[in-house]
Amino acid sequence: MADINWHIEATSKCTLECPLCDRTWFYEKFKKREIHEIDIEMLKKFLGEEAEVTFCGNNGDPIYHSRFLELCEELKKQNTRISITTNGSGKSHTWWEKLCSILDSGDKVTFSIDGLEDTNHIYRKNAKWKTIMTGIEVCTRHSFKVVWKFIMFKHNQHQIQEVKKLAKELGIDEVKVIQSDRWHDLQYLMPDDKHVDQNYVYKENVRKDLKEYKAKMNPVCMVNKKPANELYIDSAGNFYPCCFQGGYHWRHQDIFDPRLTKFNIKDNTVESILSNLDVKRFFNDIFNYEKVNKCCKINCGVING
């Protein structure tokens, strides 16, 4: 179904230890990792021809899938448009050349780099700057779009203009500066007020009291009010309406609990999942505060007034 943009977590593996990543949180709580990789043949069969895919995920980084080059190659054979979001660390010049030979002008690679060489590793722990620069150097010589995604923290907020200057020198097409939402549990990461979305601050204060939340906010899907237009598959092949629903914090709540294996792509088609009555009911309830689930209320609430 070409009208769907699929957000796919290729693997739960990553070489970084970002403090507020779900992967780090899960390990600190349970002292173990969930290690999965999406099965290539299973995914090919599920997506079919001319799909649009964003490789990112909640826990892993797609480039650490043990057969990621093969995964991309096989999907390109099915005329899939591919967007990759990665920290870009740890791969060789040869590896990047192989990836770039697979992608075409309709694809995109986004490097998530939160600062310069002296600051990126503060949040993105274990990131290897030289290898990131290798990836950028190779990618910018090809026809697909290359983006630098920069999340602001206290330690890098002063580097925005330097980042834009370096990105231009490197031949990067776009710098995407993101308002930080990864500091609410670690205040030392919080940037100065002028760099903080005050609506987000208000949400953080109010969402712990759902009565007040109800009075002040309405749940709205983040994908332009088109919840069936960007759907999430985690590295174990489980389907969710979005990546928020696929987070560890929500997995015990409703019909999308992966322990039920009810909506794994191994045993389902796109059509069978989207026509399921429970799934249809979920999407119908997204804009109804009384019916929508807690995950939607907390993550996609919009302040009234």
Side-chain angles (χ1 to χ4, degrees), residues 15 35 38 44 52 111 118 124 129 166 174 192 220 274 292 294:
T15 62
I35 303 297
I38 202 78
K44 284 174 55 182
E52 292 195 15
F111 288 86
D118 61 331
R124 296 190 180 271
W129 183 262
L166 176 59
E174 178 186 356
D192 295 341
V220 176
L274 296 183
V292 76
K294 185 178 179 182

Side-chain angles (χ1 to χ4, degrees), residues 218-221 225 227-228 241 245 254-256 276-297 300:
N218 287 327
V220 176
C221 182
K225 296 189 178 182
Q245 290 287 335
D254 54 29
I255 62 169
F256 300 108
N276 179 277
L277 291 178
D278 288 331
V279 175
K280 293 172 73 173
R281 188 178 298 114
F282 173 90
F283 286 130
N284 288 336
D285 290 346
I286 276 192
F287 308 109
N288 184 323
Y289 186 92
E290 298 298 333
K291 293 182 178 181
V292 76
N293 67 25
K294 185 178 179 182
C295 177
C296 296
K297 293 176 183 178
C300 298

Side-chain angles (χ1 to χ4, degrees), residues 178-209:
I178 306 295
Q179 288 274 351
S180 174
D181 63 359
R182 290 270 174 140
W183 43 257
H184 55 272
D185 292 324
L186 295 175
Q187 289 298 308
Y188 73 87
L189 293 173
M190 182 178 177
D192 295 341
D193 286 348
K194 66 180 180 179
H195 296 302
V196 174
D197 183 341
Q198 294 304 311
N199 282 351
Y200 182 83
V201 175
Y202 184 75
K203 283 177 67 176
E204 283 298 297
N205 292 332
V206 97
R207 71 182 189 171
K208 295 175 184 177
D209 182 346

Side-chain angles (χ1 to χ4, degrees), residues 73-162:
E73 188 171 29
E74 290 300 311
L75 290 184
K76 292 305 294 182
K77 290 177 182 178
Q78 297 185 169
N79 299 313
T80 302
R81 180 176 293 180
I82 295 176
S83 175
I84 300 165
T85 298
T86 176
N87 68 69
S89 177
K91 293 297 185 179
S92 69
H93 186 280
T94 300
W95 188 92
W96 283 108
E97 287 285 6
K98 289 179 180 177
L99 176 65
C100 292
S101 70
I102 295 167
L103 303 180
D104 60 39
S105 60
D107 300 322
K108 180 171 69 173
V109 176
T110 297
F111 288 86
S112 297
I113 313 170
D114 302 332
L116 297 171
E117 185 172 7
D118 61 331
T119 57
N120 181 55
H121 64 280
I122 294 175
Y123 181 75
R124 296 190 180 271
K125 296 182 183 300
N126 302 332
K128 305 290 190 297
W129 183 262
K130 289 184 178 180
T131 61
I132 297 170
M133 291 299 105
T134 295
I136 290 175
E137 187 274 325
V138 175
C139 287
T140 52
R141 290 192 281 101
H142 290 78
S143 61
F144 53 81
K145 186 174 183 179
V146 180
V147 177
W148 181 329
K149 187 175 76 172
F150 175 97
I151 301 177
M152 278 189 289
F153 295 108
K154 183 77 170 180
H155 54 265
N156 66 17
Q157 62 186 10
H158 62 289
Q159 296 180 321
I160 297 172
Q161 295 308 314
E162 290 180 81

